[in-house]
């Protein structure tokens, strides 16, 4: 079995502080930070890794905080590569944060998978006194209720959800029940969607390209747990950081064939192993 893989950008902020991406690393300047989700397709499957979000109020808040931004809905981002919302049969959520699980309702026919630990830890945290609000600050508050009303599976640890597609727990790292999604193609090997356990390639390659792991900054788990997890994730792809796919890294547009739409948003083509036609063409400022 082989799948075609894309990373779709549905928004970006122009001036995001890099110190928010790397633990204990102040004064690293600002960078353009994309908001993305993944698309995985075979001849008979259409799978999303995360769903992004679409909320004008949040768009305005992020614009006020981080300068110029640009947004489209995740459904519109999919339409740009020829996919309709009703075609999506499966959603794999890396974690319950608003920018990763905010548009689950836009794909009502999809079966949703998320780690049980992620949902149960959120419910427990939400029941705590208000002084513990940090634990729920970025969460999609209605996700537990939403999952209870549709086809959904709360996964306990490692799980294969389709031939060649595996959910791998990353507990107590970015969130209590984070997971990553590994896609293994017969034609071109394994690719790993890292969710927010990798913001930038620098987390894996070092801030100065020296190979020293740079732990993520925004986390409810521990840096020590993340270091062990990231090291194992890299080992699982032979140390090739290009095979780890981040959702907040503008460098993906340079590391993979990509196209820029008229509004400045991008699509990156990671693999066409599933036999699909390229979504990157010359009339879209393709690289």
């Amino acid at each position: 079995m082989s799948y075609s893989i894309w990373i779709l950008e549905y928004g970006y902020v122009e001036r995001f502080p890099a110190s928010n991406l790397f633990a204990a690393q102040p004064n690293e300047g600002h960078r353009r930070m994309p908001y993305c989700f993944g698309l995985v397709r075979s001849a008979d499957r259409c799978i999303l890794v995360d769903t992004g979000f679409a909320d004008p109020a949040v768009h305005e808040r992020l614009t006020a905080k981080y300068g110029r931004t640009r947004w489209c809905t995740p459904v519109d981002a999919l339409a740009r590569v020829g996919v309709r919302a009703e075609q999506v049969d499966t959603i794999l959520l890396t974690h319950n944060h608003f920018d990763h699980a905010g548009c689950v309702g836009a794909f009502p026919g999809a079966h949703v998978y998320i780690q049980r630990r992620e949902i149960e830890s959120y419910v427990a945290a939400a029941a705590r006194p208000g002084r513990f609000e940090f634990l729920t600050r970025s969460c999609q508050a209605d996700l537990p209720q939403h999952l209870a009303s549709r086809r959904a599976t709360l996964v306990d640890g490692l799980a294969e959800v389709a031939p060649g597609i595996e959910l791998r727990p990353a507990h107590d790292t970015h969130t209590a029940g984070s997971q990553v999604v590994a896609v293994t193609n017969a034609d071109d090997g394994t690719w790993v969607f890292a969710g927010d356990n990798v913001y930038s390639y620098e987390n894996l390659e070092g801030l100065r390209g020296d190979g020293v792991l740079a732990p993520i900054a925004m986390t409810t788990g521990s840096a020590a747990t993340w270091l062990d997890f990231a090291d194992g994730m890299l080992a699982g792809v032979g140390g090739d950081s290009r095979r780890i796919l981040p959702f907040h890294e503008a460098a993906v547009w340079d590391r993979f064939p990509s196209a820029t739409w008229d509004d400045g948003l991008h699509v990156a083509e990671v693999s066409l192993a599933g036999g699909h036609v390229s979504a990157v063409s010359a009339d879209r400022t393709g690289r």
Side-chain angles (χ1 to χ4, degrees):
M1 175 68 75
S2 285
Y3 299 87
S4 297
I5 302 170
W6 296 267
I7 297 173
L8 302 177
E9 183 182 34
Y10 66 94
Y12 67 84
V13 298
E14 189 66 41
R15 285 180 51 79
F16 193 82
S19 58
N20 282 6
L21 306 177
F22 312 112
Q25 295 291 338
N27 305 317
E28 288 294 327
H30 297 78
R31 60 183 63 191
R32 181 191 187 280
M33 191 182 80
Y35 287 73
C36 305
F37 62 97
L39 171 64
V40 179
R41 299 188 73 185
S42 67
D44 58 354
R45 299 297 301 269
C46 187
I47 299 169
L48 298 187
V49 181
D50 293 340
T51 63
F53 80 100
D55 186 331
V58 177
H59 296 165
E60 291 177 10
R61 176 171 60 82
L62 293 175
T63 301
K65 191 170 185 179
Y66 299 124
R68 186 169 66 94
T69 66
R70 181 77 68 176
W71 305 95
C72 74
T73 70
V75 170
D76 287 342
L78 282 169
R80 294 176 175 191
V81 296
V83 174
R84 303 184 309 278
E86 59 268 26
Q87 291 177 268
V88 176
D89 59 74
T90 303
I91 293 171
L92 310 176
L93 295 178
T94 60
H95 62 293
N96 178 28
H97 278 173
F98 76 95
D99 56 324
H100 294 260
C103 279
V104 171
F107 309 96
H111 189 129
V112 183
Y113 293 81
I114 191 170
Q115 288 285 320
R116 182 184 304 276
R117 182 181 178 91
E118 181 74 347
I119 295 301
E120 291 183 348
S121 68
Y122 167 72
V123 171
R128 301 184 77 173
R131 63 183 178 274
F132 292 96
E133 183 263 346
F134 174 81
L135 295 174
T136 60
R137 184 174 300 163
S138 297
C139 293
Q140 185 64 30
D142 63 353
L143 185 62
Q145 293 77 18
H146 194 77
L147 296 179
S149 67
R150 62 181 296 160
R151 290 190 302 148
T153 298
L154 301 184
V155 179
D156 294 306
L158 187 70
E160 185 178 65
V161 297
I165 299 183
E166 189 174 67
L167 304 178
R168 298 177 179 176
H171 295 169
D172 296 319
T173 53
H174 179 60
T175 62
S178 283
Q179 64 183 0
V180 300
V181 179
V183 180
T184 300
N185 284 332
D187 295 340
D188 60 11
T190 298
W191 305 91
V192 179
F193 288 101
D196 274 356
N197 266 300
V198 176
Y199 292 123
S200 167
Y201 288 116
E202 291 159 276
N203 294 123
L204 303 175
E205 298 171 356
L207 289 172
R208 306 295 176 259
D210 54 11
V212 176
L213 295 169
I216 56 176
M218 295 179 284
T219 177
T220 59
S222 76
T225 300
W226 181 89
L227 284 164
D228 286 333
F229 175 77
D231 192 55
M233 182 169 56
L234 268 174
V237 292
D240 183 1
S241 58
R242 185 174 178 271
R243 290 187 167 273
I244 308 296
L245 307 175
F247 283 158
H248 294 294
E249 170 62 278
V252 297
W253 320 131
D254 298 316
R255 296 201 181 191
F256 298 97
S258 67
T260 307
W261 307 98
D262 289 341
D263 56 6
L265 299 176
H266 297 79
V267 54
E269 208 156 65
V270 176
S271 173
L272 292 178
H276 293 83
V277 174
S278 175
V280 175
S281 57
D283 61 344
R284 298 177 190 148
T285 320
R287 294 177 181 151

